[in-house]
Amino acid sequence: MGNTVQADAKFLRRVLLGLVLLTLVTGGMAGLATVQAMTETPDHCVLLCQ
């Protein structure tokens, strides 16, 4: 039974690490998109232009 507890703990640790890394990557992408949107000149239209 001790082996399954250790295996579960290792699995959950890997899942937690994966979620933390995924959160960091998506946060970085959102930050980059925000900076690009704030510094971009509004001289072209991409969506719903009239």
Side-chain angles (χ1 to χ4, degrees), residues 22-36:
L22 185 63
T23 301
L24 289 173
V25 169
T26 54
M29 290 173 61
L32 180 63
T34 302
V35 168
Q36 285 181 345

Side-chain angles (χ1 to χ4, degrees), residues 1-2 7-8 12 14 16 21-22 27-28 30 33 42:
M1 178 153 170
D8 287 344
L12 290 175
R14 287 181 181 170
L16 180 63
L21 290 175
L22 185 63

Side-chain angles (χ1 to χ4, degrees), residues 17-48:
L17 182 61
L19 288 173
V20 168
L21 290 175
L22 185 63
T23 301
L24 289 173
V25 169
T26 54
M29 290 173 61
L32 180 63
T34 302
V35 168
Q36 285 181 345
M38 290 177 65
T39 59
E40 192 171 306
T41 58
D43 58 353
H44 67 280
C45 187
V46 178
L47 185 65
L48 299 175

